[in-house]
Amino acid sequence: MSLMEEIGERAHRLAVPFSAQLDLTYRCNEDCVHCYLDHQDHGEMTTAEIKQLLKEMADAGVFFLTLSGGEIFLRKDFFEILECARALTFCIKLKTNAVLIREAQAARLRDLGVESIQISIYSHRPEVHDAITKISGSLQRSIKAIRFLRSQGLKVIMANVLMTENMHDYRDTHRLAEELGAEYTLDPTVTPMMNGDRGVLNLNVGETDLHRVFRDESLVGDAAEFCAPPRPLGEDNMDSTPCSAGHTACYISPYGEFYPCVQFPLSCGNVRQQSFIDIWRNSEQLNEVRSIRLRDLSSCSQCAHGGSCTRCPGLAFLEGNMRGPSTADCERSFARTGIPSANLLSQKEKTSSARLVQIQLVPAITGNRLSEVGNAASAVAS
């Protein structure tokens, strides 16, 4: 076990919120086709509220802090917030499209010592990337920012969400990251809207393409991060915690809503009404999330993938049951291993049964219809 894994395991055992994501705004200067956010401003936290929250998070034990959005540079107080966070000795990770980063901003990011900057690049081709962001010239501006950030010695991570629009571009996008000196991550997960709208899931790549991606040797070492905490030595798989959400990690929206994770929109309180630590320790919703073990997951506990699946309880929650399976993760497990999960087998059985019923009904329906036609013809003849 590495030092970081050991620290993470200890944080999990002591229920310390080791990492947190704070979205400063949902406003954005891009309008990505797959984005799960409402980009209207419904009353963001003020600078003072965010500074107070940062102090509470530091006191609670948060070490890794991700500042994200929306587009973080649309907050005019962004650097004031960042300076406050660094003074509290957080290890800072940023998520941005980098369109607004110029030389002055890059220099300040370097001087403030941010750990990494994640920038979403969807394709090496402007016509594809810009169609996804709906902003002409956005790829060119983001690449220019990446080059400059790298020239300043900053760590850049190019994040590529895989979807139908850019499915055939990921290899060249990977090569672009290498040329720019950036790390590369590929995520085949399109997340439902936070309001529960699942229409955006039509952008997910199909089963055949997903199989091809998971067998692409050029992606070795670029697997998506697995959110589950390290399991203590000797712990039974059935007693393991499925995810870090609510155990060592959490997410705060621009409006102060406290969630287990950015992909787990179960409201556990609001930091405008309660202190961060009060919600962390006493929220009924968080305690319910923490109570879940693999053995409690109805179909997952019986599944061959149980001990290795990257099941996301947030995606399962958006499907209607945080203790149920996440179909998206079942599909990824199948793509990795070629072995269908218990959930996928169950779905196929239901589909097969439904088709069998349809096949059985067709002759009866056809016969009834012919009888109706015959009766009508007889009536006309008479």
Side-chain angles (χ1 to χ4, degrees), residues 47-358:
T47 309
E49 286 177 317
I50 291 176
K51 286 184 174 180
Q52 176 59 34
L53 171 61
L54 292 174
K55 292 175 183 175
E56 293 178 8
M57 294 167 80
D59 290 340
V62 173
F63 177 67
F64 287 112
L65 175 64
T66 299
L67 297 178
S68 184
E71 176 46 52
I72 54 179
F73 284 94
L74 288 177
R75 291 264 327 201
K76 294 181 179 179
D77 57 357
F78 169 72
F79 278 105
E80 185 177 350
I81 292 169
L82 181 58
E83 287 172 357
C84 175
R86 287 297 293 130
L88 292 166
T89 68
F90 290 112
C91 178
I92 305 289
K93 303 179 181 183
L94 304 180
K95 292 185 179 181
T96 173
N97 57 38
V99 168
L100 298 176
I101 295 179
R102 301 292 185 270
E103 184 173 348
Q105 290 84 3
R108 292 187 73 182
L109 294 176
R110 177 199 60 210
D111 294 343
L112 285 167
V114 298
E115 195 275 335
S116 64
I117 303 168
Q118 179 175 302
I119 300 172
S120 293
I121 300 293
Y122 304 110
S123 172
H124 64 295
R125 294 186 291 159
E127 63 270 24
V128 176
H129 176 93
D130 294 358
I132 290 174
T133 65
K134 300 181 186 178
I135 301 294
S136 178
S138 60
L139 176 61
Q140 182 181 3
R141 291 195 291 272
S142 291
I143 288 178
K144 183 178 179 180
I146 291 173
R147 283 199 175 98
F148 189 77
L149 290 169
R150 290 297 299 130
S151 74
Q152 299 298 299
L154 290 160
K155 176 182 176 181
V156 177
I157 301 169
M158 271 178 49
N160 184 7
V161 176
L162 191 69
M163 54 191 120
T164 52
E165 272 77 352
N166 64 353
M167 170 61 213
H168 301 292
D169 291 357
Y170 70 87
R171 291 189 185 91
D172 287 316
T173 307
H174 191 181
R175 280 191 282 269
L176 174 62
E178 292 176 338
E179 292 171 9
L180 295 172
E183 294 185 13
Y184 176 79
T185 64
L186 182 67
D187 186 355
T189 305
V190 176
T191 303
M193 295 285 290
M194 289 193 75
N195 63 10
D197 183 355
R198 301 179 63 80
V200 71
L201 297 184
N202 291 329
L203 296 172
N204 271 317
V205 299
E207 181 179 301
T208 301
D209 287 330
L210 200 58
H211 276 263
R212 186 181 303 117
V213 170
F214 275 97
R215 284 160 177 73
D216 191 331
E217 294 183 358
S218 71
L219 295 176
V220 172
D222 291 302
E225 182 179 358
F226 185 11
C227 299
R231 189 168 63 248
L233 292 174
E235 182 181 75
D236 189 313
N237 271 348
M238 291 294 104
D239 292 321
S240 64
T241 301
C243 179
S244 296
H247 292 271
T248 60
C250 62
Y251 163 67
I252 312 294
S253 83
Y255 314 120
E257 285 296 319
F258 192 118
Y259 301 103
C261 171
V262 69
Q263 287 194 155
F264 199 159
L266 171 68
S267 182
C268 301
N270 191 295
V271 296
R272 283 173 154 167
Q273 299 160 3
Q274 296 172 266
S275 69
F276 177 92
I277 194 64
D278 183 30
I279 298 173
W280 180 259
R281 289 176 176 171
N282 302 313
S283 166
E284 292 182 6
Q285 294 84 359
L286 272 183
N287 285 330
E288 180 182 1
V289 170
R290 291 172 185 144
S291 71
I292 300 173
R293 296 294 181 269
L294 182 56
R295 67 173 70 256
D296 302 322
L297 308 178
S298 52
S299 62
C300 300
S301 61
Q302 307 300 317
C303 180
H305 298 286
S308 60
C309 178
T310 57
R311 173 190 174 276
C312 173
L315 293 178
F317 173 76
L318 284 166
E319 287 189 36
N321 181 9
M322 73 172 79
R323 285 180 167 81
S326 160
T327 300
D329 289 309
C330 292
E331 291 171 348
R332 281 197 292 275
S333 287
F334 181 42
R336 280 198 314 272
T337 65
I339 303 172
S341 68
N343 177 45
L344 290 184
L345 288 173
S346 174
Q347 289 185 7
K348 288 182 178 180
E349 287 176 5
K350 291 178 181 177
T351 301
S352 298
S353 298
R355 287 177 178 171
L356 180 60
V357 169
Q358 288 177 336

